[in-house]
Every structure is written in C-alpha cells, then in structure tokens.
Amino acid sequence: MTAPRFAAQLNEQIGNEFAAHQQYVACAIHYDALTMPQMAAFFYGQALEEREHAMMMVQFLLDTDCEVEIPGVEAPVSKFGSVVEPIQLALAQEKRVSEQVFALTRTAREENDFAAEQFMQWFIKEQVEEVATMNDLLAVVTRAGEDINAIEEYMRREQGGANADATAPPIAGV
C-alpha cells in the first residue's frame, strides 16, 4: 500500500510536471517565433517529456490503487527578452524539480514505502541528466550570444534523437 503522505505529494508533483510541460511549450513557441527550429524542437520535446513524467506518476498511483487528483497550473512565462532567458528559466525549473523529486524520495523513505522509493529512483537519474543538459545549453547559448546560427548548429549536432529508456516507468495511456 502506498503511503498516503507520498500519494498526496505525488499528486501535487503531477501538477508540477504539467506546469513544466506548459513552460516548455512557451519556451518552444518563443524559439519558433524567432525562426530557430532546432531550439523550438528541443523545447517541444522537453514539453512532451514533462507530460510523460506526469503520466508516469498517474500510472503509479493507479497501479497502487491510489486516488489521482490532477491539480491546476499557473500560466507559464511566455515573454522573453533574449535567446538566453528561456534556458535560464529552464535550468532554474529543472533544479526546482530536482528538489521536488528528492523530497518525494525522502517521504517514501520516511514512510518505509519501498515501492514508492524504487519508483522515484528513475526520476533522480532523469533529473541529473536534465540539469546537466540545461547547464550545457546555457553555457553554449551564453557563449554564442545572439549568434542564432551557431546555437542552431549546436542543437542540430548535439541534440540528436536519443533512444527510449527501457528502464522508464510505464506511462498512463500509452
């Protein structure tokens, strides 16, 4: 049985993941409007990942016979003054999500909810990758300044299609 305190926190995290989805869509639209298709595609892809994370959490709650509550989310930031601002926001968001994932893992551990703790391990690994990716992207875009072609070339070269992670939790509806 999933610990009620963990289930409540996970329901809250579902909202955080959907908010991250919306924020990444707003970032993608910003880059699309600047005719930066590589950056736009990257952020549209990030948005889909965040949605999938939320749906993984939904599936875990369903699998453990817990009630699922989808919270509402605030509107994302949609106006940016430069090409670097969305990445700065994304890095801060990924660091915040990491802390949320750690808090969920801590709750699972405190509640001796071994299944929940095991479930959270994949998200810890994912957050390490996400923060590293955003750190790298911020460094590259900061160096490139407003050289959109250099940024787009980096994205084309470095952000190639990654394979699906076979260790990922199941996604509700897929």
Side-chain angles (χ1 to χ4, degrees):
M1 173 86 182
T2 296
R5 188 165 69 112
F6 177 83
Q9 267 185 272
L10 193 60
N11 272 305
E12 185 178 316
Q13 188 62 29
I14 290 168
N16 295 336
E17 299 293 332
F18 280 129
H21 168 265
Q22 295 291 82
Q23 186 58 68
Y24 282 146
V25 168
C27 293
I29 291 168
H30 173 75
Y31 290 117
D32 240 350
L34 294 175
T35 316
M36 295 179 72
Q38 298 297 323
M39 287 291 285
F42 172 75
F43 277 100
Y44 284 129
Q46 290 297 113
L48 290 175
E49 273 190 29
E50 299 303 332
R51 181 196 176 282
E52 287 178 351
H53 294 169
M55 297 308 288
M56 289 171 182
M57 293 172 184
V58 165
Q59 189 63 55
F60 178 82
L61 290 171
L62 290 171
D63 288 347
T64 58
D65 202 27
C66 293
E67 187 173 337
V68 177
E69 298 173 20
I70 307 296
V73 300
E74 290 185 29
V77 174
S78 59
K79 301 242 187 267
F80 303 98
S82 70
V83 294
V84 75
E85 282 182 23
I87 301 159
Q88 290 169 327
L89 186 143
L91 177 58
Q93 177 175 281
E94 290 300 345
K95 288 179 177 180
R96 187 172 50 256
V97 170
S98 293
E99 291 304 317
Q100 294 162 347
V101 165
F102 300 154
L104 276 159
T105 305
R106 192 174 310 108
T107 297
R109 187 169 289 165
E110 289 168 358
E111 297 290 329
N112 293 317
D113 188 338
F114 304 114
E117 185 175 351
Q118 186 276 330
F119 173 71
M120 293 309 302
Q121 295 305 308
W122 183 86
F123 290 96
I124 292 171
K125 175 184 73 84
E126 179 72 5
Q127 283 311 120
V128 169
E129 293 171 7
E130 294 297 333
V131 170
T133 297
M134 289 303 169
N135 265 324
D136 290 349
L137 186 53
L138 181 59
V140 168
V141 173
T142 300
R143 267 195 313 267
E146 296 295 321
D147 186 348
I148 290 173
N149 291 329
I151 296 166
E152 286 289 284
E153 176 57 25
Y154 169 80
M155 294 304 288
R156 186 195 60 72
R157 186 181 68 244
E158 297 297 324
Q159 298 299 321
N163 295 329
D165 182 349
T167 66
I171 302 166
V174 175

